[in-house]
Every structure is written in C-alpha cells, then in structure tokens.
Amino acid sequence: MPTFLSSLATLCRAVRRQGRIGRLLAGGVVLALSGMLFAVARDLPAPQVAVRYGPQAVRLYQDWTVLLNRLHDSPDPVRLAAVNQFINRRIRYADDESIWHQPDYWPTPLETFGKAAANCQGFTIAKYFSLRLAGMAPDKLRLTYVKARIGGPDSTLSQAHMVLAYYPTPTAEPLILDSLITSILPASQRPDLTPVFSFDAERLWVGSTRTTIDKLTRWRQVMDKMRAEGFTF
C-alpha cells in the first residue's frame, strides 16, 4: 500500500504540470498536510510558504518530508547517515553575511531551504531537527560548539565551528555529524575539534556542568521560530 506522502507526491506532480502557480500550490499542499506525520501544530498555507520561503524551499521541503517519513521507523545509524547526506548534499556552505546580511544568524530548516545555503550553525540546526522529526530520541542529540583546528595537525590556528553530536547512550563516545566532511566519525577520530559547550532543546552543558538554555538567546529564538512555523516537539 502506498504511503500517505507517496500518494501526496503523485498528486503534487500532477499539479506541478500546470505551471509555476501549480508548483507553489503543490508545495503548499505538502506543507499543510504532511504535518500530520510530524506533529505540526497548524497548517502552513501555500501563499504564506511561497511568500516567506519561495519555491526553492517548497521543493526541498517536499523531498525532506518524504525522507523523514521513510526514516521514521529506521534504526539510528540509518537515520544518521541519510540525514547527514541529505543536508550536506542539498545545502551549499556560505557565511551569514552573504546569506542573511548579518554576522551571526541561526535559521530554521525552512529558512535554510529557502536559501539552499547555510553556515555551520544552519547545517547543524537542520540536521538536529531532521533527526528529531524522524523520531530520534531527544537525549541522543546535542548541538556542539567546538574550536576547529585549521591548517593541519601541527597548526595552532582554530576557528569557531558547530557540529551535531549523537550519543547512543548517555555515557557513550559521541559520533560527529559535520558540514566540513561527509563521514560520520567518533569524536576520538576528530582530534581537530575541541568541544567548548553543547546543548539540546532544554539543557546546556559546559564541561560536566549542566544548566538550562535560558542564556542561549539565539537558540531560544530558533525554537520560537520553529513553533511559529507550526512544529512542536
């Protein structure tokens, strides 16, 4: 039996044949209806989607929702590999100044899809929410700020960077999902990265100290934007 989204995709392909307006309407249908699978709190009408994010976001969102639906009951390693590949392949790397015309902006996945571009924060945020929406347990994922060494193993140069860490158990060595490389590697195999702090939807870790995310203003803004877009977690 075809899945809900595969049937919906067939409908949308037929609508898209009617031209640009049809394409936008098709994307709006996907955005409004596929939310039933991912706990979307309210509809996202086609005009809002088209005006706010553009047709590029609609196309990426269609592919994204089909992927997440397929992954929802998959083992964690399959989810990690598929999401990491999707975001790394479909989003190009660029800095915030060139994308958002400001030095530091944290986008939602839909905002990133609208530009099809992001810096390390945008990549990491998109992967985090993708895995959450694909059904991964929230206590297995942390967005992690690191110092990334550049220029080889003997270099003393570093820059701020963000990656996504996956913990199969609370005390296990994490796997690292990165925008700089395609492989998902254990943290011990990434000596170029030095952790600074990490966080999830509710908690902030600095070393072994755990607290709330109240001081992470940009992250709280991302969560608020996600809710305004209709997502709940």
Side-chain angles (χ1 to χ4, degrees):
M1 178 181 294
T3 66
F4 170 80
L5 278 180
S6 64
S7 299
L8 187 59
T10 300
L11 170 63
C12 289
R13 283 194 294 271
V15 175
R16 286 200 300 272
R17 295 190 189 103
Q18 304 305 313
R20 184 173 183 274
I21 298 301
R23 288 195 296 272
L24 295 179
L25 289 174
V29 169
V30 171
L31 287 166
L33 297 182
S34 65
M36 290 187 291
L37 294 174
F38 304 124
V40 172
R42 61 179 176 79
D43 289 343
L44 293 172
Q48 174 188 335
V49 173
V51 170
R52 183 180 296 183
Y53 304 113
Q56 182 167 242
V58 171
R59 291 192 295 271
L60 275 169
Y61 190 91
Q62 289 176 35
D63 295 341
W64 186 58
T65 52
V66 170
L67 173 70
L68 300 188
N69 182 46
R70 176 170 59 82
L71 293 175
H72 210 271
D73 296 318
S74 298
D76 282 359
V78 174
R79 291 170 173 157
L80 291 170
V83 165
N84 193 59
Q85 182 182 79
F86 181 89
I87 300 299
N88 281 1
R89 285 187 175 180
R90 301 293 296 272
I91 305 301
R92 65 179 177 85
Y93 190 91
D95 60 47
D96 283 341
E97 286 285 3
S98 62
I99 303 169
W100 304 105
H101 309 294
Q102 51 185 289
D104 189 20
Y105 185 79
W106 291 23
T108 68
L110 287 185
E111 289 178 306
T112 293
F113 293 164
K115 303 291 187 177
N119 72 352
C120 59
Q121 289 103 325
F123 275 83
T124 302
I125 290 167
K127 292 175 186 180
Y128 172 81
F129 284 117
S130 296
L131 289 166
R132 288 289 309 276
L133 290 168
M136 187 167 286
D139 60 355
K140 293 184 175 182
L141 298 170
R142 297 186 196 176
L143 302 91
T144 305
Y145 252 116
V146 299
K147 291 182 179 178
R149 187 179 64 241
I150 54 178
D154 298 324
S155 173
T156 59
L157 298 176
S158 66
Q159 63 182 23
H161 186 51
M162 185 185 282
V163 298
L164 184 64
Y166 164 80
Y167 292 79
T169 67
T171 58
E173 178 185 14
L175 299 175
I176 304 302
L177 285 70
D178 197 348
S179 58
L180 298 178
I181 65 173
T182 58
S183 301
I184 299 175
L185 298 174
S188 60
Q189 295 183 31
R190 294 299 309 275
D192 56 316
L193 304 180
T194 302
V196 179
F197 65 89
S198 61
F199 56 97
D200 62 14
E202 298 178 352
R203 297 158 295 181
L204 167 68
W205 289 264
V206 182
S208 60
T209 301
R210 189 176 72 178
T211 184
T212 67
I213 61 167
D214 292 344
K215 294 183 179 180
L216 287 178
T217 303
R218 293 191 186 280
W219 178 234
R220 289 190 289 104
Q221 289 172 344
V222 171
M223 299 291 289
D224 290 342
K225 288 188 293 183
M226 289 291 291
R227 294 185 187 99
E229 290 171 352
F231 295 95
T232 58
F233 298 93

